[in-house]
Amino acid sequence: MKVVFAGTPEFAEAALAALQAAGFEISLVLTQPDRPAGRGMKLHASPVKQFALARGIAVAQPRSLRLDGKYPDDARAAQEALRAAAPDVMVVAAYGLILPQWVLDLPRMGCLNIHASLLPRWRGAAPIHRAIEAGDAETGITIMQMDAGLDTGDMLLVEKTPVAQGDTTASLHDRLAALGGRLIVEALELAACGGLTRTPQPKEGVTYAHKIEKSEAEIEWTGPATGIERRIRAFDPFPGAVSLLAGVPVKCWAAELAPGEGAPGQVLAVDEAGLLVACGEGALRLTQLQKPGGRRLAARDFLQGHTVMPGMVFDRGTA
């Protein structure tokens, strides 16, 4: 079975590695163009591109796949490369480009997507973040037969995993990436012998995991402590929940629910265990913090270099 793989970040790299380890022939990899990153803003290849090149797999990086779009030359070059690769199936994982109908129709077995949610819940760009933010008890991986809609295709394989109380997007991402790799291998092995069953998604329970915006990182202290604590975990490692303290943006990376009352954002107590901060309902003990240019620090270490006193107030804002 010839496989074309389309993906970009570490989540997709895990699936590509699993497919290669299982012995599937990867004839071509599609990934996003190199992006500037780091302090020097130098161009960096995606994790998927780095993996593919290190193993001698051909890579294409079109800016678009729309033949009638802004970059038709890129799309035509990608079309030629895909036809030359002659895939039986395309596997897609967090690729970042919309696949037009000609791409969906090109592989003999169509395009299979590795989606990090239990569809139809959390269709869209940020299913891991949104599951944690919403307080979902479980999530999982859905292997889906892609169609022209936004994560609307038939389900092929589904496996659940619990969302632990302390899960961050980083920790849940890693578990789901490994699960996605295992499940896509199972899907292709079943497909090879005609054993995959297509199940339409339920019409009920549809939710959308909209892209994470940096503006969402600002902590709304008027909200309940439970919701703020979930959002802190959901926004780790990106974009990081942030609030102003004495006019300085402080990122809050970890927090615990704690008893306490006061004006929202007010620091109620300070000790080595953390900063006790009042919320609209309840309070949070902030246990890991970071100032601009610094590192993430446990509260006791943060307090050694930064003066925080009871009565100070965290304000909404980032600058």
Side-chain angles (χ1 to χ4, degrees), residues 39-127:
R39 291 186 178 180
M41 295 302 286
K42 294 182 179 178
L43 290 177
H44 284 258
S46 73
V48 163
K49 179 181 178 179
Q50 293 179 46
F51 181 94
L53 292 183
R55 290 154 183 82
I57 303 172
V59 174
Q61 296 177 270
R63 289 169 291 181
S64 170
L65 292 168
R66 292 180 58 88
L67 295 169
D68 58 350
K70 186 177 180 181
Y71 304 105
D73 291 344
D74 283 32
R76 283 192 289 269
Q79 188 177 49
E80 292 178 8
L82 280 166
R83 286 174 173 166
D88 295 300
V89 65
M90 177 186 282
V91 172
V92 182
Y95 178 32
L97 289 184
I98 295 173
L99 302 190
Q101 194 63 46
W102 73 261
V103 177
L104 298 174
D105 294 340
L106 192 148
R108 177 175 60 86
M109 299 168 59
C111 301
L112 307 189
N113 179 247
I114 307 169
H115 188 74
S117 82
L118 302 175
L119 291 170
R121 185 158 178 81
W122 302 130
R123 293 174 178 171

Side-chain angles (χ1 to χ4, degrees), residues 222-290:
T222 54
T226 52
I228 297 172
E229 187 271 340
R230 291 198 305 263
R231 179 165 282 201
I232 288 172
R233 290 188 287 114
F235 291 176
D236 179 359
F238 175 85
V242 65
S243 190
L244 293 179
L245 184 63
V248 177
V250 176
K251 286 200 172 183
C252 305
W253 291 110
E256 303 168 350
L257 297 175
E261 293 183 0
Q266 182 181 23
V267 178
L268 304 177
V270 179
D271 57 33
E272 289 189 349
L275 281 61
L276 184 64
V277 182
C279 304
E281 296 177 17
L284 286 179
R285 179 173 288 108
L286 306 181
T287 59
Q288 190 181 77
L289 304 111
Q290 181 183 13

